[in-house]
Amino acid sequence: MAALRSQHLYRGLRILSSAQGPVVEVDGRRLVNLSSNDYLGLTHHPRLRKAAVAAVEDFGVGSGAVRTIAGTLSMHEALEAELAEFKGVDAVLTFQSGFTANTGLIPTITGEADLIVSDALNHASIIDGARLSKATRRVYPHADVAALQEVLDDASANGRPGTGEPYRLILVATDGVFSMDGDIAPLPTIVEAAESVGAALLVDDAHGSGVLGRDGRGTVDHFGLHRRVDIQVGTLSKAVGSLGGYVAGPTALREILTQRARPFLFSTSHPPAVVAACREALRVMQEEPGLQARLWANTERFKAELARLGFDTGRSATPITPVLMGDPETAMRFSDRLTGAGVFAQPVVFPTVAMDKARVRTIVTAAHTDDHLDSALEAFAEVGRELGLTGS
Ligand SMILES: *Cc1c(COP(=O)(O)O)cnc(C)c1O
């Protein structure tokens, strides 16, 4: 603990005393919130609240068992069917979180005879899922499709290390939108690379759902790659506004996961309120397209203004906009000073990002008004000047 503190890597929990939203109350002060994944403002949407309350009245507060024993309600199956239709796939299986979707999925479908090829900046849950597998693992530099192709060519020409036997399955895994940089994976070329050696492709679209594609169908829809991405992982905890994760793909995949995925088999299913809120969220996303439009209008304005102020916002192309600072101490101090100026924007430091890539990460949502964004930008300008990050 002392070492973490002296390296400016110790992170205390920030405690909110209000509901999640575009403005939150922290330590008795109201701050413009630029740190939530609540892209469409659905955490507090009236229709989701109403659906959740009705589910509590009718079905109680807990599901009482794991899915495979007595914890599958008809509403769990209905949510999965609705998600499958929304995503344009044959079948969906939900998990308690996006994290457990990956840690359940990856070791179930890969083993000793297989290879997992993973982007260097993939989410921790993909990394942990791969670590739980007995498969061989290779990592390619972030978004570098030429390097990915080299790994794939080498794997298909030379087979498994030691024995030279061909791999049974090669699984390429990438985030759709990268959570710390906000850049979009170059999926069209990744698909071609995977297809060139007959590899399967897994896209974890936690930050793409609700944000990209028609009505927020995600990165695969954004690029028109339906049926060319074998497996999609999604979360219900970000734009969908509640909690959970899912795996979307062929029916046989759903089936094997119901038999072998350990978080599915050994951890209790979602309570009714969560399931009902997620189902209502899917309807809202399709019936209120203005939310996604507002999200993007806010995103474009905020990004352009940060760049105009002279901040380094990296390669972001989505509502996630990092403001890069380099060392953890500066990021921590910047965030503290923003708090003083009325803005809640959390620093992201090692081990979430590399030691020299500390940043304050911002996310705008559909729920931010022009006034919220104006006052946030004013605070960034002031603190940037004070800490010498913007020159002017
Ligand atoms: C947030 C995130 C997850 C985890 O989702 P939860 O539902 O919060 O567990 C998984 N993958 C990626 C890429 C994420 O950004």
Side-chain angles (χ1 to χ4, degrees):
M1 292 306 300
L4 286 181
R5 285 204 169 85
S6 73
Q7 293 164 61
H8 305 281
L9 295 176
Y10 179 80
R11 290 180 288 182
L13 298 176
R14 304 299 305 273
I15 297 160
L16 277 56
S17 49
S18 66
Q20 188 58 254
V23 174
V24 288
E25 190 178 302
V26 180
D27 296 332
R29 298 185 51 231
R30 295 183 54 77
L31 307 174
V32 175
N33 179 12
L34 295 178
S35 287
S36 95
N37 300 314
D38 185 16
Y39 289 106
L40 300 173
L42 296 190
T43 57
H44 50 278
H45 193 289
R47 284 177 59 182
L48 274 71
R49 292 192 210 204
K50 197 164 161 232
V53 169
V56 168
E57 296 294 350
D58 293 344
F59 290 93
V61 296
S63 76
V66 300
R67 286 286 296 273
T68 50
I69 310 272
T72 299
L73 297 169
S74 55
M75 67 169 74
H76 289 109
E77 299 272 316
L79 170 61
E80 291 170 341
E82 288 156 10
L83 275 169
E85 199 192 330
F86 183 67
K87 298 294 282 188
V89 300
D90 294 331
V92 160
L93 192 70
T94 53
F95 286 77
Q96 296 85 356
S97 68
F99 200 102
T100 54
N102 277 322
T103 57
L105 165 70
I106 297 171
T108 298
I109 60 166
T110 59
E112 225 168 335
D114 305 319
L115 173 67
I116 300 167
V117 188
S118 184
D119 185 289
L121 292 188
N122 274 347
H123 191 261
S125 55
I126 294 180
I127 298 170
D128 286 11
R131 283 176 180 160
L132 287 169
S133 164
K134 294 195 169 69
T136 306
R137 287 179 271 139
R138 302 274 303 269
V139 173
Y140 62 94
H142 175 57
D144 184 340
V145 184
L148 166 64
Q149 185 76 57
E150 260 176 53
V151 171
L152 293 175
D153 288 343
D154 174 58
S156 67
N158 301 317
R160 295 167 61 189
T163 69
E165 276 171 63
Y167 286 105
R168 191 195 61 140
L169 170 74
I170 300 176
L171 177 69
V172 177
T174 181
D175 285 11
V177 173
F178 288 86
S179 51
M180 293 304 140
D181 292 276
D183 55 329
I184 304 171
L187 278 194
T189 47
I190 291 176
V191 163
E192 281 170 19
E195 285 173 350
S196 75
V197 298
L201 177 58
L202 158 62
V203 174
D204 177 350
D205 211 23
H207 283 282
S209 320
V211 175
L212 292 170
R214 290 166 302 144
D215 299 334
R217 282 173 172 77
T219 312
V220 172
D221 186 79
H222 169 76
F223 285 118
L225 292 170
H226 293 281
R227 304 279 159 187
R228 292 177 75 190
V229 172
D230 304 277
I231 306 171
Q232 295 178 64
V233 165
T235 180
L236 304 167
S237 325
K238 289 172 179 151
V240 178
S242 184
L243 177 70
Y246 60 90
V247 177
T251 305
L253 175 65
R254 181 181 192 274
E255 255 180 302
I256 189 65
L257 292 172
T258 65
Q259 304 305 303
R260 287 287 181 274
R262 293 167 70 83
F264 184 83
L265 296 177
F266 296 107
S267 186
T268 299
S269 60
H270 278 143
V274 167
V275 182
C278 291
R279 293 181 68 191
E280 191 64 17
L282 283 182
R283 288 182 209 115
V284 169
M285 285 160 68
Q286 294 170 84
E287 288 164 17
E288 299 183 21
L291 292 174
Q292 195 189 10
R294 175 81 197 167
L295 168 66
W296 278 97
N298 281 349
T299 295
E300 273 148 27
R301 188 159 90 82
F302 195 69
K303 247 186 227 315
E305 288 296 311
L306 280 179
R308 202 181 55 77
L309 289 170
F311 288 107
D312 177 1
T313 57
R315 49 182 176 247
S316 165
T318 66
I320 301 171
T321 305
V323 177
L324 298 164
M325 325 238 147
D327 68 293
E329 192 180 356
T330 306
M332 296 275 198
R333 187 178 309 143
F334 198 99
S335 172
D336 283 347
R337 292 290 300 107
L338 282 177
T339 305
V343 173
F344 188 72
Q346 291 302 289
V348 181
V349 300
F350 182 83
T352 310
V353 294
M355 193 60 95
D356 61 346
K357 294 269 163 55
R359 64 202 60 189
V360 168
R361 186 181 68 149
T362 68
I363 298 181
V364 298
T365 72
H368 287 111
T369 63
D370 288 344
D371 282 352
H372 294 146
L373 296 184
D374 286 340
S375 67
L377 286 162
E378 227 168 273
F380 268 89
E382 181 188 315
V383 179
R385 266 193 310 273
E386 186 192 310
L387 298 191
L389 281 167
T390 51
S392 51

